[in-house]
């Protein structure tokens, strides 16, 4: 029987079973008395075995049989779940994941079967096998799909009504246009809803990773996750996966102390890392906090001076927040040693850049001896966003509303110059000003005689900046069009306005 047509379905469902095996084995380690965890593990292994047998994947089938036997013994309480046995099972899950993702993958099956018989021989190490890129398919609820089909049907009806009414103009034309506008808005909403996926799709991978990393480093770490049910655009989800992974690796490797060091400062032996996702308007804030040793500000200063990123004078003048934000500079690390765990070619500069590439920002708060909190603020969707149309010189641009704090019309005499930079005092806070025409190196409109200046107040890493523009027009819902990466310097994407003109979408953080 030709099973190739079922391959995609097998991979999608098999990945879910492997994820379930990882998740519930972690739960069983934490709560060995909960028998339902064992039953769930047995069912997942049994289901995966049956699917593999149907597809003709014999190695997956035989490994599942051996895993199933272990869970059967746990159900009958013939033996308990030791740390070594859990580690052996996790290695088997990694092998299953590899074979599921690669149809041609072959393993030394006998070595895995022996590992399950003698789990004490397993070597504790960190593995990335289970951190796999997610499938580009999205499961859609039938009711959402039905709504979409119905909306398209109604849209077609109104299209025909509009064609008819335009041939014989009447009051009905306005009614049809109103109905058409409603349908298109509903269709937009429903289509965007289908693109949304729960953030738990990436959050669910982290408990296993934290368990393996902490075990390999001899540390005790408890991971807590909140808000995993929040949904966001699939494209955004794929982009933030690596930044979150890197932040968590750094936390376990460099931020969390050893058990002995925590005892010496009267901290609990088990460190805590907490991931929290919350909705903030049309954005989502993901907070990753730990109760480790925090970031050494003085060490960052010294490293930045050593690498000629800042001068000694700059180091003495800069605030703690400004020093911490230097972590987004390529080549700068506060770690005293590069390890296999977190030194894998993805620095904090890549974290900043990837988050900013989707119109987000990164904020870092730290307290030496008490821990560090990273906050990633990102848009829920990239396909359609609200934007403010601005003019700089003879060009029009769009700034995403999610990046804007407010708009101001200030008197030119209020602008001061400090150390060669234009600033303004807003609510007792000094805000740096950036002229958009200068930042983009375009010819501006001569307005030196104008009494007032238009400023768009934006946020970068929790700090306010003012963008000086010639004027702004209206707020619009804009459909984003992806730019080739070679054109993405100060711009995130492009769009087409209602008058048919093409505009670039400004990324405010890139101008600052």
């Amino acid at each position: 029987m030709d099973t190739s047509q079922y391959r995609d379905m097998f991979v999608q469902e098999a990945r879910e079973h492997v994820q379930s095996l990882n998740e519930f084995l972690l739960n069983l380690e934490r709560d060995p008395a909960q028998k339902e965890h064992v039953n769930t593990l047995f069912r997942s292994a049994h289901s995966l075995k049956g699917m593999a047998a149907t597809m003709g994947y014999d190695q997956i089938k035989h490994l599942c049989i051996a895993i199933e036997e272990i869970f059967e013994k746990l159900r009958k309480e013939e033996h308990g779940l030791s740390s070594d046995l859990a580690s052996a099972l996790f290695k088997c899950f990694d092998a299953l994941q590899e074979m599921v993702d690669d149809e041609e993958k072959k393993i030394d099956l006998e070595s895995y079967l022996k590992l399950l018989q003698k789990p004490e021989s397993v070597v504790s190490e960190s593995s990335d096998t289970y951190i796999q890129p997610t499938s580009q398919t999205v499961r859609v609820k039938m009711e959402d799909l039905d709504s979409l089909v119905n909306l398209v049907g109604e849209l077609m009806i109104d299209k025909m009504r509009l064609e008819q009414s335009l041939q014989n103009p009447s009051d009905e034309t306005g009614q049809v246009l109103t109905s058409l506008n409603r349908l298109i808005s509903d269709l937009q909403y429903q289509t965007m809803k289908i693109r949304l996926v729960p953030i738990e799709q990436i959050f669910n991978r982290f408990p296993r990773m934290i368990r393996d990393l902490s075990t390999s480093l001899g540390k005790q770490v408890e991971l807590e996750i909140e808000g995993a049910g929040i949904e966001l655009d699939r494209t955004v989800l794929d982009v933030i996966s690596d930044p979150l992974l890197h932040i968590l690796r750094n936390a376990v490797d460099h931020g969390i102390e050893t058990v002995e060091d925590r005892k010496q400062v009267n901290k609990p032996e088990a460190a805590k890392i907490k991931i929290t996702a919350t909705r903030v308007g049309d954005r989502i804030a993901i907070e990753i906090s730990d109760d480790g040793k925090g970031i050494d500000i003085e060490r960052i200063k010294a490293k930045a001076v050593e690498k000629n990123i800042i001068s000694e004078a700059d180091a003495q003048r800069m605030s703690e927040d400004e020093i911490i934000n230097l972590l987004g500079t390529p080549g700068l690390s506060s770690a005293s040693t590069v390890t296999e765990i977190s030194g894998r070619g993805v620095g904090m500069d890549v974290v900043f850049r990837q988050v900013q590439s989707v119109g987000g920002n990164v904020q870092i708060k730290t307290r030496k001896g008490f821990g560090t909190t990273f906050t990633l603020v990102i848009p829920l969707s990239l396909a359609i966003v609200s934007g403010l149309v601005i003019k700089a010189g003879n060009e029009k641009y769009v700034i995403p509303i999610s990046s804007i704090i407010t708009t101001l019309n200030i008197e030119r005499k209020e602008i001061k110059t400090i150390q060669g930079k234009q600033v303004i005092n807003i609510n007792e806070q000094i805000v740096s000003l950036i002229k958009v025409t200068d930042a983009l190196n375009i010819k501006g409109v001569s307005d030196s005689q104008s009494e007032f200046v238009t400023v768009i107040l934006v946020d970068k890493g929790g700090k306010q900046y003012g963008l000086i523009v010639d004027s702004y027009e209206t707020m619009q819902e804009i459909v984003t069009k992806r730019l080739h990466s070679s054109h993405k310097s100060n711009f995130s994407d492009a769009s087409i306005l209602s008058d048919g003109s093409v505009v670039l979408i400004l990324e405010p953080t890139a101008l600052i």
Side-chain angles (χ1 to χ4, degrees):
M1 182 180 70
D2 181 16
T3 58
S4 59
Q5 59 182 315
Y6 304 112
R7 169 71 187 169
D8 289 344
M9 186 183 299
F10 167 80
V11 170
Q12 187 172 356
E13 293 189 13
R15 281 177 173 173
E16 291 177 1
H17 284 302
V18 175
Q19 175 61 42
S20 176
L21 289 169
N22 277 297
E23 180 182 342
F24 281 93
L25 187 57
L26 285 167
N27 291 343
L28 186 62
E29 264 198 312
R30 287 192 290 264
D31 187 6
Q34 182 55 261
K35 300 303 179 185
E36 186 53 37
H37 294 332
V38 183
N39 293 335
T40 302
L41 287 163
F42 184 88
R43 285 194 296 270
S44 290
H46 184 77
S47 297
L48 185 55
K49 177 190 72 174
M51 291 165 53
T54 302
M55 294 292 292
Y57 299 146
D58 289 341
Q59 285 202 322
I60 296 179
K61 180 186 75 174
H62 290 301
L63 187 53
C64 282
I65 289 172
I67 292 171
E68 206 177 29
E69 290 173 355
I70 296 293
F71 293 147
E72 180 64 19
K73 290 178 181 178
L74 290 175
R75 285 209 296 188
K76 294 179 178 178
E77 299 185 357
E78 292 181 13
H79 59 65
L81 179 68
S82 65
S83 178
D84 287 338
L85 179 56
S87 295
L89 285 166
F90 280 130
K91 287 187 73 71
C92 290
F93 298 165
D94 292 344
L96 289 174
Q97 183 73 68
E98 289 180 1
M99 290 189 287
V100 165
D101 290 334
D102 184 357
E103 195 173 13
E104 304 300 322
K105 176 72 177 181
K106 300 297 178 186
I107 62 169
D108 181 3
L109 183 60
E110 196 60 35
S111 66
Y112 283 94
L113 298 180
K114 288 179 180 177
L115 190 64
L116 290 175
Q117 293 169 359
K118 294 184 177 181
E120 63 276 5
S121 62
V122 68
V123 178
S124 178
E125 59 182 22
S126 169
S127 170
D128 279 343
T129 303
Y130 54 90
I131 304 292
Q132 294 290 332
T134 53
S135 168
Q136 291 303 307
T137 58
V138 177
R139 284 194 171 185
V140 181
K141 296 176 184 176
M142 278 305 298
E143 54 264 35
D144 289 342
L145 203 55
D146 289 342
S147 295
L148 191 61
V149 171
N150 289 336
L151 283 170
V152 172
E154 290 185 50
L155 196 58
M156 290 298 295
I157 293 169
D158 271 12
K159 171 180 170 288
M160 291 184 288
R161 287 178 62 199
L162 184 60
E163 289 173 345
Q164 181 66 34
S165 65
L166 289 176
Q167 291 175 7
N168 304 291
S170 66
D171 292 342
E172 187 182 5
T173 304
Q175 296 176 10
V176 176
L177 287 173
T178 301
S179 176
L180 197 60
N181 183 56
R182 177 188 62 80
L183 284 171
I184 290 174
S185 296
D186 288 348
L187 186 61
Q188 170 194 324
Y189 170 78
Q190 199 65 37
T191 305
M192 293 306 304
K193 188 178 177 184
I194 287 177
R195 287 173 59 97
L196 299 178
V197 291
I199 201 170
E200 66 184 7
Q201 288 199 8
I202 53 173
F203 280 12
N204 285 345
R205 309 177 207 168
F206 297 146
R208 164 75 196 283
M209 182 197 74
I210 296 296
R211 185 261 182 200
D212 282 3
L213 292 186
S214 57
T215 301
S216 66
L217 293 168
K219 298 179 180 180
Q220 293 183 25
V221 182
E222 295 176 358
L223 178 65
E224 184 179 343
I225 296 175
E226 289 184 3
I230 289 177
E231 295 182 322
L232 72 165
D233 193 292
R234 182 51 182 264
T235 308
V236 180
L237 194 71
D238 290 340
V239 171
I240 65 167
S241 180
D242 282 346
L244 288 174
L245 183 65
H246 184 71
I247 292 170
L248 287 170
R249 282 185 173 281
N250 265 350
V252 178
D253 193 17
H254 300 304
I256 301 299
E257 311 95 333
T258 62
V259 173
E260 291 72 21
D261 288 343
R262 291 180 68 85
K263 284 181 179 177
Q264 289 177 9
V265 292
N266 296 318
K267 285 186 176 181
E269 292 184 14
K272 287 187 177 180
I273 295 178
K274 185 175 181 179
I275 307 176
T276 307
T278 53
R279 281 283 297 269
V280 184
D282 63 348
R283 313 208 107 196
I284 180 173
I286 302 175
E287 187 176 281
I288 307 101
S289 60
D290 67 68
D291 65 348
K293 56 189 175 185
I295 297 173
D296 191 333
I297 303 294
E298 294 304 317
R299 185 170 186 82
I300 297 176
K301 278 187 186 180
K303 284 276 189 180
V305 171
E306 178 188 323
K307 293 181 178 291
N308 295 319
I309 294 172
I310 59 173
S311 65
E312 282 282 4
D314 289 334
Q316 299 305 317
R317 175 183 55 80
M318 293 171 74
S319 66
E320 281 198 0
D321 286 342
E322 289 174 324
I323 294 293
I324 290 172
N325 283 331
L326 288 176
L327 286 173
T329 308
L332 181 64
S333 172
S334 62
S336 55
T337 57
V338 175
T339 69
E340 173 63 16
I341 289 172
S342 56
R344 304 191 178 195
V346 181
M348 283 305 302
D349 62 304
V350 177
V351 171
F352 275 70
R353 190 163 64 248
Q354 285 191 252
V355 173
Q356 289 170 0
S357 74
V358 294
N361 63 72
V362 182
Q363 301 171 21
I364 307 173
K365 298 292 181 184
T366 190
R367 187 179 172 194
K368 192 172 181 180
F370 291 89
T372 303
T373 299
F374 285 82
T375 304
L376 279 55
V377 182
I378 52 176
L380 289 169
S381 174
L382 294 181
I384 298 176
V385 298
S386 296
L388 183 68
V389 180
I390 62 130
K391 283 196 72 175
N394 295 317
E395 303 292 337
K396 284 185 180 182
Y397 300 98
V398 171
I399 298 179
I401 289 295
S402 56
S403 301
I404 298 174
I405 300 171
T406 188
T407 58
L408 301 169
N409 223 14
I410 60 173
E411 292 188 69
R412 188 174 295 277
K413 64 183 181 182
E414 293 182 46
I415 299 177
K416 309 298 180 184
T417 301
I418 299 178
Q419 296 181 342
K421 294 182 179 180
Q422 288 188 322
V423 299
I424 187 171
N425 188 326
I426 300 176
N427 297 327
E428 305 302 321
Q429 181 179 347
I430 300 300
V431 175
S432 298
L433 298 176
I434 298 100
K435 197 169 185 179
V436 173
T437 50
D438 292 344
L440 297 179
N441 196 26
I442 59 176
K443 188 176 181 180
V445 177
S446 180
D447 61 354
S448 57
Q449 304 305 314
S450 175
E451 185 180 350
F452 291 92
V453 176
T454 303
V455 176
I456 310 292
L457 209 60
V458 298
D459 173 88
K460 180 183 179 182
K463 187 175 180 181
Q464 295 182 0
Y465 293 86
L467 302 181
I468 298 177
V469 301
D470 291 328
S471 63
Y472 61 86
E473 297 180 2
T474 57
M475 187 185 81
Q476 293 187 20
E477 291 288 312
I478 55 174
V479 179
T480 61
K481 302 292 182 183
R482 306 302 291 175
L483 286 175
H484 189 277
S485 57
S486 61
H487 298 119
K488 283 191 172 188
S489 51
N490 298 315
F491 310 106
S492 55
D493 295 295
S495 185
I496 300 173
L497 298 180
S498 55
D499 62 4
S501 60
V502 177
V503 293
L504 294 171
I505 301 174
L506 271 178
E507 179 48 61
T509 56
L511 299 178
I512 298 167

